[in-house]
Amino acid sequence: MPLLAELKGTKVRMWPFDHKPPHIHVKHAEHLARIEIMTGSLIDGYLPPRVRRRIVDWLDRCRKEILLRWQLASRGEGFGPIGEDCAEKGG
C-alpha cells in the first residue's frame, strides 16, 4: 500500500482502487485504523487519542491534497507522499 505521509512515526497509507467512502489507513505502533477523509470519523480500528487528534488536524489542513491523491489512487494512478504541512516531500 503506497505511503501517503509519515507524521511523527505514524504511517498514513492509501490503497489504489479502494472502496468508498474516501479514507486513509493509519498505523501507529501496534494500532491500525481507517479514517474517513471528509469527516475525520473513525471507520474502524483504534488510535490513541493524541494520535487521532494529530491525524484529524492533518486531515483538516491537507484535505484538498489528500482528496486529490484519493482521486489518483481510485483511477490506479500513482501519487506522491505529502508532508505534515501539505507540501510534497522532496519537492
Side-chain angles (χ1 to χ4, degrees):
M1 185 173 354
L3 184 67
L4 179 61
E6 187 163 352
L7 311 169
K8 297 182 177 156
T10 302
K11 294 188 179 189
V12 181
R13 298 183 182 273
M14 197 178 284
W15 280 107
F17 301 113
D18 210 349
H19 59 87
K20 291 186 178 184
H23 62 278
I24 54 175
H25 298 256
V26 181
K27 181 175 185 345
H28 179 82
E30 71 275 9
H31 304 292
L32 299 170
R34 287 187 306 148
I35 298 178
E36 191 173 340
I37 295 169
M38 292 304 295
T39 65
S41 298
L42 185 69
I43 296 171
D44 57 28
Y46 173 80
L47 293 172
R50 68 175 172 76
V51 174
R52 183 154 177 223
R53 276 192 304 277
R54 184 172 48 225
I55 295 298
V56 170
D57 288 347
W58 178 74
L59 281 171
D60 288 344
R61 284 192 315 273
C62 303
R63 188 164 281 114
K64 181 178 176 183
E65 291 83 357
I66 297 165
L67 284 171
L68 172 64
R69 282 156 175 82
W70 174 268
Q71 291 169 350
L72 292 170
S74 69
R75 296 190 303 255
E77 298 178 29
F79 58 86
I82 55 178
E84 193 164 350
D85 63 355
C86 304
E88 288 197 32
K89 288 189 174 185

